[in-house]
Amino acid sequence: PDFFGNRSSKTFKPKKNIPEGSHQYELLKHAEATLGSGNLRMAVMLPEGEDLNEWVAVNTVDFFNQINMLYGTITDFCTEESCPVMSAGPKYEYHWADGTNIKKPIKCSAPKYIDYLMTWVQDQLDDETLFPSKIGVPFKRNFMSVAKTILKRLFRVYAHIYHQHFDSVMQLQEEAHLNTSFKHFIFFVQEFNLIDRKELVPLQELIEKLTTKDR
């Protein structure tokens, strides 16, 4: 579904496409179809006979694209002035390090942090050795730990949007879209234990609210 009408072209970073006709594309279509059924717990489960790495890879790309669009709608409100630090409420502040270019965590504004973060994720997704798009190319041994780091970091963008920009999200009438996306994300990471509980604390109340209705 096109949630954005004519604004759908505004993404923060270019959309990461999964090649049509590939097995991963089929998996993505399967994911979209099961999501349509409304039962998220079922929708996130590993489809029968599928490879867990591939399922996680396809969904990680999808979450990147969703967050990309969601953040793209509020970039005008997330500025050096409004968000001089990358925070999720008054108690949580994130400092950026990627282990290669920036080894020591740096304190920076939210827009800068999210730019670093999304660029870093994009580089991982574009790395054919990490996210192979060709059939039969095996996933690296460390794939799952890389995927976990990507998802942990993508969570921080949701946390920042919810804590600092929810008013703007409501003004734009995007809250249903944001909630649906985040709920899907949470059910997915819970299903496969992909994010440490302590990392999820900034949105703990919301997570409880979104996930208890569907037990």
Side-chain angles (χ1 to χ4, degrees):
D2 181 0
F3 294 105
F4 292 100
N6 55 11
R7 277 185 304 142
S8 64
S9 57
K10 185 170 177 174
T11 58
F12 181 58
K13 296 276 173 206
K15 187 171 187 262
K16 171 76 181 160
N17 287 315
I18 290 178
E20 272 188 59
S22 66
H23 181 62
Q24 292 187 9
Y25 188 77
E26 296 306 310
L27 271 180
L28 184 64
K29 288 282 155 250
H30 170 86
E32 283 169 5
T34 49
L35 275 175
S37 74
N39 184 339
L40 273 178
R41 282 266 175 250
M42 292 287 289
V44 295
M45 286 176 182
L46 180 65
E48 213 173 321
E50 292 298 345
D51 173 51
L52 179 61
N53 283 343
E54 196 153 36
W55 183 237
V56 170
V58 166
N59 280 278
T60 300
V61 170
D62 192 33
F63 290 129
F64 168 78
N65 286 333
Q66 289 182 39
I67 291 168
N68 209 356
M69 270 186 14
L70 287 162
Y71 186 68
T73 59
I74 58 128
T75 46
D76 296 347
F77 309 102
C78 186
T79 62
E80 299 284 327
E81 294 73 48
S82 69
C83 303
V85 293
M86 173 63 180
S87 61
K91 291 208 286 259
Y92 301 98
E93 190 180 301
Y94 299 109
H95 296 175
W96 178 254
D98 57 16
T100 39
N101 300 322
I102 299 175
K103 292 199 167 67
K104 214 175 155 220
I106 56 167
K107 188 171 175 164
C108 58
S109 67
K112 216 171 233 110
Y113 185 101
I114 292 171
D115 194 10
Y116 279 134
L117 185 156
M118 295 301 268
T119 303
W120 177 84
V121 172
Q122 214 172 10
D123 290 344
Q124 311 308 303
L125 301 182
D126 287 342
D127 181 345
E128 274 291 328
T129 66
L130 272 177
F131 282 78
S133 58
K134 299 188 179 49
I135 301 249
V137 176
F139 282 85
K140 273 180 152 176
R141 261 205 208 126
N142 69 335
F143 169 75
M144 211 45 95
S145 72
V146 173
K148 284 178 177 176
T149 305
I150 291 174
L151 294 164
K152 173 180 85 175
R153 289 179 173 170
L154 288 176
F155 168 82
R156 295 170 181 176
V157 184
Y158 281 120
H160 180 72
I161 294 173
Y162 271 112
H163 276 285
Q164 314 301 137
H165 299 294
F166 199 66
D167 288 352
S168 307
V169 170
M170 281 170 60
Q171 271 173 342
L172 296 164
Q173 299 180 324
E174 297 289 359
E175 68 269 32
H177 178 207
L178 174 64
N179 288 340
T180 306
S181 173
F182 181 63
K183 190 171 172 179
H184 179 201
F185 179 87
I186 282 303
F187 277 48
F188 190 83
V189 299
Q190 285 180 344
E191 174 70 15
F192 303 106
N193 284 325
L194 296 168
I195 301 182
D196 211 5
R197 264 223 175 105
K198 67 175 194 300
E199 285 284 341
L200 300 173
V201 171
L203 292 178
Q204 196 49 52
E205 278 173 43
L206 177 69
I207 292 170
E208 280 164 21
K209 206 170 98 188
L210 290 175
T211 54
T212 42
K213 286 202 292 247
D214 283 82
R215 288 263 154 78

